[in-house]
Amino acid sequence: MFQKILIANRGEIALRVLRACKELGIQTVVVHSTADADAMHVRLADESVCIGPPPSRDSYLNIHQIVAACEITGADAVHPGYGFLSENAKFSDILAAHNITFIGPSGDHIRIMGDKIEAKRTAKRLGIPVVPGSDGAVTEEKEARRIAAEIGYPVIIKASAGGGGRGMKVAHTEADLEIALQTARSEAGAAFGDDAVYIEKYLEKPRHIEVQVFGDGFGGGVHFGERDCSLQRRHQKVWEEANSPALNAEERSRIGGICAKAIADLGYSGAGTIEFLYENGEFYFIEMNTRLQVEHPVTEAITGIDLVHEQIRVASGGGLSVKQEDIKFNGHAIECRINAEDPRTFTPSPGTITHFHTPGGLGIRVDSGVYSGYKIPPYYDSLIGKLIVHGRNRVECMMRLRRALDEFVVDGIKTTLPLFRDLVGNADIANGDYDIHWLEKYLAKGE
Ligand code: ADP
């Protein structure tokens, strides 16, 4: 087992990983920018190293500074959290060259899944259902037209190097195709320095359902069920739940089984998430994330298993603490992402939190790095906390969530809490009746 883990992240996820390390008796080192000297993860860590000025590229993305911090403190492993360097294959390779363990999959697996064309090809080879579309990159309009006619309109053009929902264009008819292809390519080139694009069938009303998987590092793979993350705004997840209100036990075990086998066949190690669009009872692979997800706590709530403990165990060569048959799904969990943003316009609202009071009681978990008197710096993403609620079933979970949202107090800044108070009273949400467009339509109506 590791002696000392360096946590290369900030905010709630740095604290989340730190808690797991403490429970496992592992020493912790955190790195931070000058803007985060007062952060909770810095206060609670055994050691901390300031790695640079506020901009992420000079601090949390500065590989040389982070490796130097490992060497100075003698850390033998790095947990990257999510975002920042968590899906950076070069970072994983550099750590390996310094004999420091990257708590995550191999650089090669990160590379495959970071290229969406390659990822889709790999998924297909492993028996994962994919969205019908081109086999690889498409450059010629003639070829695009042939493929689109074959799969049928509408189609979506996507950037191979894409991320964060950028570089995607929908063509509803053949007349739209040329312009969609051109715009997607030039946007992809500008945003990612790579103008490779591919075509797939555009699904009109899908849900976003993702499967949590783990490779044990010895060629075995398991799944921890799914999460439904259909409630999104601008491709950013807002509310996540497990299990999905749309799946039955048979569908869960079928798609879970396919994913677990694929992970084993790939020889993948550590945590991963296989993301699907789901429509009319069919799953369509869109991408795989090779890291811990923001929304992992809903899976922890219904399985009772600490996924960060498992990541650390697997990375240290100790394998998983559970077999597939030990993973049971109990009740229902919902996560609300609380952002420091105006709940109507979603513009960031940094500043000082004058009062912070979190709800408590059975089935309530709050993962947050902030506290009363904390000043939110303007340089990073606006997530200030996650409220995760568990109940024996979805109805109990929603009742508890409503109560917990009423108790939550964040004064001094604007947050998205009022949005969740609205959502929890909505009939479609109560019925689990929503797709990936539901939230944007709801917000546009200004209800
Ligand atoms: P990114 O990596 O940029 O987030 P994804 O491939 O994960 O890109 O897709 C992001 C979102 O775009 C999906 O959650 C979905 O809302 C939409 N999307 C992607 N592919 C399709 C498709 N074939 N049909 C309909 N919507 C899609």
Side-chain angles (χ1 to χ4, degrees), residues 147-438:
I147 295 164
E150 205 176 288
I151 58 181
Y153 287 90
V155 297
I156 182 167
I157 322 260
K158 298 168 76 173
S160 182
R166 286 181 304 169
M168 291 190 281
K169 285 282 164 278
V170 179
H172 290 276
T173 61
E174 191 173 305
D176 300 341
L177 193 64
E178 186 184 348
I179 186 88
L181 186 66
Q182 276 169 10
T183 350
R185 288 189 66 188
S186 67
E187 269 187 32
F192 312 110
D194 173 1
D195 70 356
V197 297
Y198 60 106
I199 301 185
E200 51 189 38
K201 173 104 191 129
Y202 180 71
L203 303 165
E204 311 251 19
K205 286 184 166 182
R207 297 180 80 110
H208 172 115
I209 297 181
E210 57 185 36
V211 178
Q212 174 71 57
V213 290
F214 248 92
D216 64 8
F218 304 114
V222 300
H223 75 89
F224 285 78
E226 85 285 2
R227 295 181 284 261
D228 195 316
C229 314
S230 303
L231 290 172
Q232 302 183 359
R233 181 183 165 272
R234 300 209 173 145
H235 302 304
Q236 300 293 317
K237 296 164 189 167
V238 170
W239 158 307
E240 302 101 344
E241 46 187 308
N243 303 312
S244 168
L247 295 196
N248 59 37
E250 188 273 321
E251 284 174 295
R252 173 166 309 113
S253 107
R254 180 173 67 85
I255 193 66
I258 290 172
C259 291
K261 179 171 184 303
I263 284 306
D265 292 349
L266 189 61
Y268 186 85
S269 174
T273 297
I274 305 183
E275 296 193 338
F276 295 96
L277 295 176
Y278 172 85
E279 194 172 71
N280 299 328
E282 298 290 336
F283 290 91
Y284 302 96
F285 171 88
I286 44 172
E287 67 172 340
M288 175 168 176
N289 293 320
T290 52
R291 55 166 165 83
L292 190 69
Q293 305 265 109
V294 177
E295 58 274 21
H296 75 278
V298 291
T299 301
E300 295 184 324
I302 63 161
T303 59
I305 298 164
D306 186 312
L307 297 180
V308 180
H309 282 194
E310 298 302 321
Q311 284 189 294
I312 295 171
R313 280 184 61 115
V314 169
S316 72
L320 287 166
S321 74
V322 283
K323 296 193 187 60
Q324 189 67 61
E325 58 268 30
D326 303 325
I327 303 169
K328 303 265 190 292
F329 305 109
N330 284 312
H332 196 89
I334 295 174
E335 173 179 281
C336 299
R337 295 194 191 193
I338 299 158
N339 289 347
E341 286 170 359
D342 183 301
R344 300 232 155 260
T345 61
F346 297 94
T347 43
S349 175
T352 301
I353 297 177
T354 52
H355 186 63
F356 188 71
H357 173 81
T358 56
L362 181 63
I364 307 291
R365 168 175 174 182
V366 178
D367 276 19
S368 171
V370 309
Y371 49 86
S372 294
Y374 175 76
K375 189 167 181 215
I376 301 165
Y379 311 102
Y380 311 108
D381 76 18
S382 57
L383 182 72
I384 57 162
K386 307 183 301 202
L387 169 62
I388 304 104
V389 177
H390 184 232
R392 284 174 301 175
N393 49 52
R394 195 167 184 272
V395 171
E396 187 178 80
C397 185
M398 291 281 283
M399 279 164 41
R400 199 165 271 159
L401 174 59
R402 183 192 295 257
R403 186 272 292 171
L405 286 164
D406 281 346
E407 275 179 46
F408 217 130
V409 180
V410 186
D411 286 339
I413 56 156
K414 288 180 182 163
T415 74
T416 48
L417 277 167
L419 169 66
F420 294 112
R421 293 187 184 120
D422 288 345
L423 291 179
V424 82
N426 181 280
D428 288 345
I429 301 294
N431 295 327
D433 185 12
Y434 54 79
D435 60 34
I436 56 169
H437 305 298
W438 188 93

